[in-house]
Amino acid sequence: MNKICVIQLSGSPYQMGYAHGERFRDEIRVFTEERVRLCRSIEWTGRELSREAVIALAEACVAEHQAYAPDLMEEARGIADAADLTLAELVINNGFTDFIDTIFNLGDVTMPALAPSLAADNCTAFMVPASRSAGGQAYFGQTWDMHATATPYVILLRGQPNEAPDFLTFTVTGCVGMIGMNSAGIAVGVNNLMATDGQIGVTWPFVVRKILQQQDLDGALACLTEAKLAGAHNYMLMDGKGRGYEVEAMSTTQHVHELGQETISHTNHCLIQKNLDVARERPPDSQNSSENRLRRARELLANDGITIDDLMALTRDEVAICTRPQPPAHVESCGAAIMRPATGDFWSVWGIPADNEYEHFVI
């Protein structure tokens, strides 16, 4: 069985970042350079830019990150110093799927952007209210799908910051966090959207980690609704009392939906009209995949008495949800995570869920 690599981090933000960067220096450098390369590609961003132009846009985003979360930028600085990278390069490593929205809208504005032919975002996310679960406790979970080259870099961080709640986050080397839960019972995850309104702003992993610094759901929601977002993602938030929110968030518009008595599922196309108005056209295969996965997730979550085994089975569903790489996009389910905030239980699997076993952790 392929187990997820678990890394323990503690101390000041810089100390945590430096330990992360030192442990995975070579992996972070290779992964970062691959993401910079993809940012230069017209197939991914709709524009063909020089490395210098890509880095310049990322450097402009650094100041927004610094204003939004200075402590997390100290953590990023620690990673960058240990891995011998710039903060701009690390912003690309962390926020690639937001940053390509920024490039689409702002890169070389003398030329119209083309519709990118590739999309590496097949994540399927879900929230199950307490009223629909077998044990009367709410769940959040999702697959994380990306270009298959990302899978070897998937890790789990167990953090004990000096001045914030402890946390667990499913992430990749060099990234401060992607899907996680903290010791206050706040859980968060995302699935990517594609937007035309990308801007110089904050990328989604820093929003995720700032959410994981909060003690209550209202504070967590404000981290998102008050952020100047670089690109588009759908966010799901939940607390230990079973309250939850789904926020379909573009750079310039967003829609907040509170979890009620019905399950919520989301994939990678906008469901809200005002967000569709600023959404980028998806490649046909990607759009079909997103619609099929949403339909399948809703089908699998249609009954009451949902168990953790049901949710693991959903992430392993090869009818539509569990993705194996196919040309030209070569996207796969690089892993998955399921959380029960009321009890602090966290289940995660490395790599294609259908091929590997979940591991159980407790925050």
Side-chain angles (χ1 to χ4, degrees):
M1 181 180 77
N2 292 306
K3 291 190 174 184
I4 195 166
C5 179
V6 183
I7 305 302
Q8 305 272 349
L9 300 175
S10 62
S12 70
Y14 186 86
Q15 288 171 333
M16 291 174 59
Y18 197 89
H20 180 174
E22 189 174 43
R23 170 67 175 78
F24 295 105
R25 181 183 188 277
D26 292 343
E27 292 91 337
I28 293 168
R29 290 181 59 80
V30 171
F31 189 56
T32 300
E33 194 54 39
E34 171 67 7
R35 290 197 154 189
V36 172
R37 184 187 69 80
L38 294 178
C39 285
R40 297 179 56 194
S41 166
I42 197 167
E43 288 80 14
W44 289 97
T45 67
R47 299 185 183 277
E48 194 166 357
L49 299 180
S50 67
R51 191 181 196 283
E52 292 72 21
V54 168
I55 295 298
L57 278 174
E59 286 176 341
C61 290
V62 167
E64 295 293 341
H65 286 75
Q66 188 68 40
Y68 175 74
D71 51 348
L72 295 177
M73 283 302 281
E74 275 301 295
E75 185 174 331
R77 191 181 304 278
I79 298 172
D81 286 352
D84 194 22
L85 293 169
T86 66
L87 281 174
E89 289 171 317
L90 204 68
V91 163
I92 295 171
N93 169 303
N94 278 246
F96 169 73
T97 47
D98 267 353
F99 188 62
I100 59 177
D101 289 344
T102 303
I103 294 174
F104 179 88
N105 193 29
L106 298 180
D108 188 13
V109 294
T110 62
M111 299 286 291
L114 301 176
S117 59
L118 297 176
D121 53 355
N122 288 6
C123 305
T124 303
F126 48 86
M127 287 195 289
V128 177
S131 60
R132 300 292 302 280
S133 80
Q137 294 166 324
Y139 290 91
F140 160 75
Q142 68 168 97
T143 62
W144 184 68
D145 296 32
M146 181 49 65
H147 195 277
T149 55
T151 301
Y153 302 98
V154 168
I155 59 174
L156 188 70
L157 296 182
R158 182 182 284 277
Q160 295 178 302
N162 283 347
E163 298 182 1
D166 294 354
F167 66 88
L168 281 167
T169 181
F170 176 105
T171 189
V172 291
T173 55
C175 181
V176 296
M178 302 194 309
I179 308 161
M181 182 168 64
N182 71 14
S183 55
I186 302 298
V188 58
V190 299
N191 42 299
N192 190 47
L193 303 170
M194 294 173 61
T196 62
D197 63 346
Q199 62 185 344
I200 301 301
V202 177
T203 58
W204 66 273
F206 290 85
V207 178
V208 165
R209 273 292 306 281
K210 189 165 184 176
I211 286 170
L212 293 178
Q213 293 178 330
Q214 306 308 306
Q215 298 282 353
D216 61 78
L217 190 64
D218 292 334
L221 180 64
C223 291
L224 172 54
T225 57
E226 297 174 6
K228 182 184 177 183
L229 300 174
H233 273 79
N234 185 72
Y235 294 77
M236 291 189 182
L237 293 74
M238 183 177 282
D239 70 7
K241 298 176 182 178
R243 294 177 61 214
Y245 291 103
E246 176 187 40
V247 185
E248 202 179 82
M250 317 302 272
S251 290
T252 57
T253 183
Q254 57 187 233
H255 176 79
V256 179
H257 175 203
E258 187 168 4
L259 178 67
Q261 300 303 307
E262 300 299 324
T263 58
I264 293 177
S265 303
H266 206 290
T267 51
N268 301 108
H269 59 286
C270 292
L271 303 177
I272 304 303
Q273 185 58 55
K274 67 179 180 180
N275 292 339
L276 281 166
D277 292 342
V278 292
R280 243 184 307 147
E281 181 181 355
R282 306 183 65 81
D285 287 349
S286 179
Q287 180 70 21
N288 289 338
S289 168
S290 187
E291 292 176 0
N292 289 338
R293 285 181 287 109
L294 181 61
R295 188 180 306 113
R296 182 63 172 161
R298 288 174 172 173
E299 177 185 324
L300 293 172
L301 295 175
N303 298 323
D304 289 331
I306 295 168
T307 67
I308 181 62
D309 290 338
D310 293 331
L311 299 178
M312 290 179 181
L314 183 155
T315 68
R316 291 173 167 142
D317 172 74
E318 296 199 74
V319 173
I321 293 171
C322 188
T323 302
R324 297 184 183 275
Q326 299 288 337
H330 298 283
V331 173
E332 75 177 18
S333 296
C334 304
I338 303 170
M339 288 159 261
R340 189 167 59 196
T343 59
D345 289 292
F346 187 113
W347 294 268
S348 188
V349 58
W350 179 94
I352 296 174
D355 294 346
N356 293 298
E357 295 298 323
Y358 272 86
E359 299 173 71
H360 177 234
F361 305 90
V362 179
I363 183 62

